[in-house]
Structure formats: C-alpha cells, structure tokens
Amino acid sequence: MISQKLNDQITRIGLGTEAGTVHRRYWQPAALSDEMAPGRSRLPVNLLGERLVLLREADGRMSLTPRVAAPDEAPTHHPAEADLQPVAGAPVYPVEERNGIIFAYLGEGAPPAFPNFDCFRAPDSHVFAFKGLWECNWLQALEIGIDPGHASFLHRFLQDEDPEDSYGKQFRDKAADTNMPVTQVLREYPRPDIEVEETDFGLKITALRHMDGELTHVRVTNQIFPSAICIPMSREMIITQWHVPVDDENCYWYTMFTSFDKPVNKELMREQRLKEHSLPDYAPLKNKANDYHYNPEEQKTQTYTGMGLDINVHDQWAVEGMGAIQDRTREHLGRGDAAIVRYRLLLRKAIKAAAAGRFDRLPMQDQPGTAHIVGPLSNDAIADSADWQAASWDYDMTRRAACPWDASV
C-alpha cells in the first residue's frame, strides 16, 4: 500500500502536477488520422487535462492549441467544428503524424526524437491504428497492461477457437510453432514466473510458464515510458498501445497493430472494432451503464468474465471497476506484481529528475540517441526450459529476417 499523497503524485496529470510534467516531455497520441478526415480543418482534442483544438492549415500543416471551453466540459463532448475557437495568445503545440495517429508534444523545449520502434518504421500498409475510451485514470489502465499474470484469469477462455478463424483478435493464435492455442497455454499454466529488466525505453517484462516435458512458454512484453506497452498479438502481429490521459479520471487507449508478415486487413480490423465502439467519441458500447453485457450463462461455459470474447472489454471492466482513481492506500502487491512495482519506481525517479530540471535523466530524452532505439522484442515462444532466452531471441530474429520491411535490430 502507498500513501494518498504518493497516489496523487503518480496519478494526477493536470498542468503543474508532477506526473503531468513528466508526460508533457513525451509525444502523446492526440487523435487518429481517421478523425481528421480530408476537408476537416478543426477537431476537438482533450489531452492531459487541457481542452484543445487540432488545426489544419491550407497547406496541410497541423498544430494543436488550447480552445475556448467550459471548465466542466465532458471529456467525450464533441463541439461542432464551427464552435471550436482557439484561445488568443495561447501556446501552439507541435504535432507529427505517424502511421494513423497524430501525436502532439505539450512540453517545454524541443520535443524528443521518435524512437525507431517497429510501429513507426513499418510502412503504412502494415499498421492499423484505433482507439477507445476508458472511464478511469491512465495509471490503472497502464498497470493492467504490464501485469502478465492477469491474462490467465481475466482473459480465460473455457473453449479454444480455431486460430485460423481469428484474424485481428488477441490470444487466439497458436503458441509459437505448435498446434496449441495460446488460450490453452494461459489457461493450463496460470502462474508465470515474472522477470523485469530496466531498458533504455522503459521495462522488458518476461513471463515464464513452465510446461510439461521440460518446456517453457516465454512471453516477452514491454513497458514504453511513460504510458505505453508493446505486446505480442499473434505470431504475425504486435500491439503498441498508449494509455493517454484525457484528465485525471478518463483516458484513451491508442493502439498500433503492426504486422511482420502480410499487409494489415484494415477494413476487417476497423469493422471488428466499430462493432464495440460508438463514434465520434470512440466510447465502448459495453460499459458500466449496461453491466458490460454480462451474461451468466456465457460465464458458465465460455469465458471467465461472461462479458464476450473481446478482451478489451474484460480489461475495461477491471480498470473501471477500481473507481475513477484506484485507492492504492488499500492495495497489497505481491510477487506477481513485479512489473508494477518496478514501473512505479521508474515513474517516481522520473518525477524527481523533472522536479530538479534534469529532464535528460528521463527515459528516451537523450537526443539524438533516442532515434536509434529499435524494436522492442515482443513475442511468444515455446522452448526447452534450459535455453529459453536464446530460443526467444532466435524466434524473434527469424520473424524479422523474413519481414518484407526493414525490421532488423
């Protein structure tokens, strides 16, 4: 458990807050490219506690600036384009568009370089971007993503789908080069050993599920500082997902699905996700108001939650169920929370450095070195228990060597 003072320090992100100051030193997803459709010149953006407007000039250049808005404006409110009025004399924030997401930098000084992550260097044909709203603080949204053990319970499927019919869905592929569905691995080996390693970009998290026959399932995921994760989706794809603070009590997840093999079927993936979300706010159709479509009969025979087959809904229920801001004064972290503990220490270290004006000590702030950070490695592999590290690396290198775009590391 932690004190209320510390909980406030690491969760609140408004102007002048300590965690907010750290977040403002990084590029943050501000909108999907799809939202700024051709012909549109203004788009409302709610980010890091500010009510902003994304502007597109006649020459196509874009910028972000504060707009006139009521202090209590709802985070999902979308004013008409004609009503989006910039605040005179307000700061103008730079933006950059990368593979379907428009990023903004709200901090002081020059923005950091983009790291050479797979989601940024893959061609547009191999990346699909989407987002969704969660009604909770950004930190609890991030922390579920760096908890490898939760997948064996929260995302437990009592029946395994045919992986060949599960394109675009997480945890539906076969494990490594076997005929064993990942859902079966997670279900039958629910208590992984977890190793956490600090990296240039954040944390590398390795979950080891020791199987029969001296085999080990190795799942490598990553925390990208300050609020993103990079995880395997299937043998073909990875997910890079940001948990972007709208304000203290709401956040958007922005995801880039990146393929190492064939071009992404964007129409299918968009269709799959629009079945679960409303526009223009990208709010989930399953939510607190309708009990996330909980079905007790389904819970008996199909899924642990009884809330359908979309694991995003499971995560949404879990993080929103903690309240707008989780009360960490009452929590009791254990061995399975190793990555969460290490992340909070990393965040507190960054907050301390920022307070001292030492922004160069924050992860990925060492210009121009950040541009040379590649990867990160994110995959599932099954290997001999004695040699799991080399097997995981070799599996990733084989996938990268066959990639049609430059995925070398």
Side-chain angles (χ1 to χ4, degrees):
M1 61 182 67
I2 62 176
S3 68
Q4 185 60 52
K5 180 179 179 180
L6 179 55
N7 197 35
D8 288 341
Q9 181 190 52
I10 62 177
T11 57
R12 298 191 180 274
I13 48 72
L15 279 168
T17 62
E18 293 174 290
T21 297
V22 170
H23 274 76
R24 283 169 171 78
R25 302 299 295 201
Y26 292 86
W27 289 101
Q28 298 283 344
L32 294 174
S33 299
D34 287 347
E35 296 180 86
M36 202 63 166
R40 178 156 199 165
S41 61
R42 298 186 178 193
L43 180 76
V45 170
N46 298 328
L47 177 62
L48 292 173
E50 296 191 54
R51 298 297 183 253
L52 308 163
V53 56
L54 182 64
L55 303 171
R56 177 156 48 203
E57 306 299 334
D59 61 3
R61 288 182 300 174
M62 290 187 286
S63 63
L64 192 67
T65 190
R67 59 180 167 86
V68 177
D72 59 349
E73 179 185 286
T76 58
H77 177 59
H78 272 247
E81 191 168 348
D83 295 332
L84 297 171
Q85 299 302 319
V87 175
V92 177
Y93 302 125
V95 303
E96 284 201 23
E97 192 169 6
R98 298 291 180 101
N99 278 345
I101 294 180
I102 299 168
F103 290 82
Y105 179 74
L106 276 61
E108 297 180 359
F114 276 80
N116 203 19
F117 290 146
D118 296 317
C119 62
F120 295 140
R121 60 177 169 160
D124 176 76
S125 58
H126 284 66
V127 180
F128 169 69
F130 201 76
K131 74 175 188 179
L133 177 73
W134 283 353
E135 295 181 353
C136 68
N137 182 262
W138 69 275
L139 183 58
Q140 58 219 58
L142 169 67
E143 288 185 340
I144 200 170
I146 58 174
D147 171 20
H150 88 276
S152 286
F153 298 92
L154 190 63
H155 306 317
R156 178 171 293 193
F157 290 81
L158 307 181
Q159 301 176 15
D160 300 310
E161 295 181 330
D162 182 355
E164 302 303 323
D165 298 329
S166 300
Y167 180 83
K169 301 177 183 178
Q170 194 177 356
F171 294 139
R172 307 301 211 286
D173 203 354
K174 298 173 184 176
D177 294 320
T178 72
N179 287 319
M180 190 175 187
V182 172
T183 48
Q184 182 182 351
V185 175
L186 298 178
R187 184 175 63 247
E188 294 185 3
Y189 303 97
R191 296 174 181 84
D193 291 333
I194 300 170
E195 298 191 0
V196 185
E197 174 187 348
E198 194 164 328
T199 68
D200 290 340
F201 56 80
L203 300 173
K204 175 185 176 183
I205 305 161
T206 305
L208 304 172
R209 288 177 166 84
H210 302 295
M211 306 169 66
D212 298 335
E214 298 299 317
L215 296 175
T216 294
H217 177 260
V218 186
R219 181 172 174 83
V220 179
T221 61
N222 304 274
Q223 194 287 312
I224 297 174
F225 198 81
S227 58
I229 59 175
C230 185
I231 62 177
M233 176 178 174
S234 64
R235 287 168 296 173
E236 178 181 350
M237 290 188 194
I238 60 169
I239 292 172
T240 309
Q241 179 166 298
W242 290 260
H243 304 88
V244 184
V246 170
D247 50 32
D248 288 340
E249 298 185 352
N250 299 274
C251 64
Y252 274 108
W253 55 261
Y254 281 80
T255 297
M256 284 181 168
F257 301 83
T258 306
S259 173
F260 288 98
D261 189 5
K262 298 178 289 295
V264 173
N265 186 337
K266 298 190 183 192
E267 290 187 8
L268 175 58
M269 294 187 74
R270 184 176 291 106
E271 178 185 325
Q272 290 172 339
R273 281 146 189 84
L274 286 178
K275 289 179 180 178
E276 301 284 350
H277 296 84
S278 63
L279 299 180
D281 52 9
Y282 289 82
L285 297 176
K286 298 176 181 176
N287 51 57
K288 287 181 286 189
N290 54 37
D291 292 328
Y292 304 91
H293 289 196
Y294 169 68
N295 183 333
E297 291 305 314
E298 175 198 312
Q299 193 175 40
K300 290 179 182 178
T301 59
Q302 290 184 273
T303 67
Y304 180 85
T305 62
M307 296 176 182
L309 303 180
D310 181 359
I311 70 166
N312 240 5
V313 178
H314 309 165
D315 286 335
Q316 176 198 349
W317 164 75
V319 298
E320 291 183 345
M322 299 176 184
I325 301 178
Q326 180 189 350
D327 181 4
R328 293 177 177 81
T329 66
R330 303 176 64 185
E331 71 181 2
H332 296 277
L333 299 181
R335 183 173 62 89
D337 300 306
I340 291 172
V341 172
R342 287 290 294 275
Y343 172 75
R344 292 187 194 173
L345 290 173
L346 191 63
L347 177 58
R348 293 175 66 186
K349 183 179 176 181
I351 287 173
K352 184 177 180 179
R358 295 302 308 268
F359 295 104
D360 58 311
R361 294 183 178 178
L362 273 60
M364 295 189 293
Q365 295 288 309
D366 55 334
Q367 296 266 24
T370 297
H372 299 291
I373 298 177
V374 296
L377 184 153
S378 302
N379 67 25
D380 286 284
I382 292 180
D384 291 335
S385 295
D387 196 28
W388 63 263
Q389 289 175 310
S392 177
W393 176 260
D394 290 344
Y395 186 84
D396 198 63
M397 292 306 102
T398 299
R399 176 174 65 175
R400 291 177 181 275
C403 185
W405 46 273
D406 180 13
S408 59
V409 295

